[in-house]
């Protein structure tokens, strides 16, 4: 027998679960149309080059302005896109929009590269490198300005095909970054096999860098390892001056996080850049 208080709690929980399921369903049902009818938008987050202290590049981060639900963050719909076969269409949209935005920034005198996130599944589509090249060509943007980030949101099922796709992207002139390093499925194995130029240390390590001696030692070892492998080291999620100082001391190459700047839409970015890059030199990352 359940008392009335527990029953009430169960009802509340039930209603909340129902709401979440409804939201998930709405997201699932609306995503295809959302991609088609331009409900997606990009934010861009500046990256700091630690050699100069200046902005050297950007990361494009997708958002969805849903007609009823409003602004939705990628953690709520990237997984849906991956599961429902929409990740290719979403990825195409992201590359096309990024190219146009970056070209616009170049024309305004901001010569920055931009990182684009790719799900492991996108790289398994044998068309991906060609499609990316075509999209960049159509926009008139040299592939050297684009860095493809392999996000470890899912295990890489087919190593051979993934390596092949990444090699093609590199041959076309782009850079490859391993995103969220340290949190995924088989990070060291990926590092051994994938042709990676840039290693992005996940923000979870940066978060306890100052409190946790083990995190500190792991980050230091990862930075040294990546440098020994000839990679650029990029740390994510830097929120404080202390975290930044610690990463500089450990020899990190670039930083991204709220301390330097939050992600912004293109209009806000243009204002931010005009206040931050008065002396920034052209900066290709290779
Ligand atoms: P990510 O690629 O690791 O991107 C970094 C995430 O950390 C972003 O979250 C960013 O807003 C957030 N972030 C940046 N600086 C800080 C900080 O100082 N503190 C904290 N706490 N967070 C910070 P966001 O935009 O919600 O994106 C989440 C994830 O969604 C991304 O993680 C990426 O894996 C995925 N994603 C975003 N855009 C795309 C896309 O176009 N395609 C694919 N396949 N995945 C995407
Ligand atoms: Mg990323
Ligand atoms: Mg990351
Ligand atoms: Mg991530």
């Amino acid at each position: 027998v359940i008392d009335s208080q527990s029953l009430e709690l169960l009802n509340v929980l039930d209603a909340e679960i129902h709401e979440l399921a409804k939201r998930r369903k709405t997201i699932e049902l609306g995503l295809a149309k959302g991609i088609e009818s331009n409900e997606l938008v990009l934010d861009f987050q500046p990256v700091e080059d630690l050699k100069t202290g200046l902005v050297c590049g950007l990361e494009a981060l997708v958002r969805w302005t849903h007609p009823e639900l409003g602004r939705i963050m990628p953690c709520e719909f990237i997984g849906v896109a991956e599961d429902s076969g929409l990740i290719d269409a979403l990825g195409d949209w992201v590359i096309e929009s990024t190219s146009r935005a970056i070209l616009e920034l170049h024309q305004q005198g901001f010569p920055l590269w931009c990182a684009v996130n790719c799900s492991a599944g996108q790289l398994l589509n044998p068309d991906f490198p060609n499609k990316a090249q075509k999209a960049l060509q159509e926009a008139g943007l040299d592939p050297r300005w684009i860095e493809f980030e392999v996000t470890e949101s899912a295990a890489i099922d087919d190593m051979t095909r993934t390596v092949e796709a990444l090699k093609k992207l590199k041959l076309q002139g782009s850079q490859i970054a391993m995103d969220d390093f340290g949190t995924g499925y088989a990070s060291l194995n990926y590092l051994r096999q994938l042709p990676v130029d840039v290693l992005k240390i996940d923000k979870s390590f940066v978060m306890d860098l100052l409190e946790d001696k083990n995190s500190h030692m792991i980050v230091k070892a990862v930075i040294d390892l990546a440098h020994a492998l000839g990679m650029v080291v990029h740390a994510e999620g830097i929120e404080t001056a202390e975290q930044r100082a610690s990463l500089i001391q450990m020899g990190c190459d670039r930083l991204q996080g709220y301390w330097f700047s939050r992600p912004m839409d293109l209009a806000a970015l243009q204002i931010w850049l005009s206040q931050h890059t008065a002396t920034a030199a052209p900066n290709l990352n290779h």
Side-chain angles (χ1 to χ4, degrees):
V1 189
I2 306 179
D3 61 59
S4 66
Q5 220 180 348
S6 304
L7 195 65
E8 198 179 313
L9 187 64
L10 277 176
N11 280 332
V12 169
L13 275 175
D14 190 58
E16 271 173 22
I17 289 168
H18 182 76
E19 267 315 300
L20 277 177
K22 216 174 93 189
R23 184 177 167 91
R24 162 106 192 178
K25 201 82 215 153
T26 310
I27 286 172
E28 274 173 21
L29 291 174
L31 189 55
K33 186 189 145 277
I35 297 168
E36 257 173 54
S37 44
N38 252 332
E39 289 167 13
L40 300 181
V41 285
L42 290 178
D43 272 359
F44 297 91
Q45 187 175 29
V47 175
E48 180 188 9
D49 174 9
L50 288 175
K51 274 201 292 295
T52 60
L54 295 170
V55 53
C56 56
L58 306 163
E59 178 172 8
L61 297 160
V62 69
R63 284 89 179 81
W64 179 13
T65 314
H66 190 280
E68 294 145 46
L69 302 177
R71 188 177 161 87
I72 309 177
M73 297 305 275
C75 60
E76 273 201 276
F77 63 87
I78 291 295
V80 173
E82 286 169 342
D83 295 343
S84 60
L86 289 169
I87 193 68
D88 285 349
L90 185 146
D92 292 349
W93 182 89
V94 169
I95 291 179
E96 285 158 25
S97 309
T98 300
S99 315
R100 271 183 267 118
I102 296 309
L103 195 72
E104 188 179 322
L105 290 175
H106 288 185
Q107 287 164 347
Q108 291 165 342
F110 305 118
L112 302 168
W113 48 263
C114 188
V116 169
N117 290 283
C118 299
S119 303
Q122 275 174 270
L123 296 169
L124 292 183
N125 181 342
D127 272 349
F128 180 75
N130 286 335
K131 271 197 309 184
Q133 192 179 37
K134 240 186 95 203
L136 294 172
Q137 233 161 35
E138 268 162 29
L141 188 73
D142 191 304
R144 284 188 306 157
W145 296 102
I146 297 294
E147 186 167 291
F148 291 95
E149 294 191 359
V150 189
T151 55
E152 260 190 274
S153 57
I156 295 175
D157 294 327
D158 189 333
M159 221 22 159
T160 314
R161 274 163 71 189
T162 305
V163 169
E164 223 170 274
L166 296 180
K167 280 190 176 154
K168 270 194 198 149
L169 292 168
K170 273 174 73 91
L171 271 175
Q172 292 168 8
S174 296
Q175 298 274 105
I176 308 297
M178 169 104 266
D179 205 355
D180 302 340
F181 184 78
T183 60
Y185 292 77
S187 296
L188 280 180
N189 191 35
Y190 289 173
L191 206 55
R192 187 162 62 95
Q193 299 193 53
L194 301 177
V196 171
D197 305 294
V198 179
L199 190 143
K200 295 189 80 171
I201 299 175
D202 190 68
K203 54 177 169 279
S204 57
F205 290 100
V206 172
M207 241 158 52
D208 12 288
L209 196 59
L210 302 168
E211 291 81 37
D212 180 19
K213 221 171 122 224
N214 287 345
S215 284
H216 190 277
M217 275 173 20
I218 290 171
V219 169
K220 175 78 179 106
V222 166
I223 292 174
D224 292 345
L225 171 69
H227 281 160
L229 292 168
M231 295 170 185
V232 168
V233 185
H234 176 136
E236 290 191 286
I238 288 73
E239 296 185 357
T240 68
E242 290 78 17
Q243 291 168 343
R244 179 173 176 272
S246 174
L247 284 156
I248 290 176
Q249 209 211 344
M250 287 191 268
C252 192
D253 303 298
R254 16 195 247 209
L255 294 189
Q256 182 180 353
Y258 297 163
W259 186 85
F260 192 55
S261 168
R262 292 192 172 248
M264 297 167 274
D265 65 24
L266 186 60
L269 176 69
Q270 286 161 335
I271 295 170
W272 188 92
L273 285 172
S274 65
Q275 296 163 345
H276 282 79
T277 52
T279 57
N283 200 336
L284 271 177
N285 53 337
H286 56 110

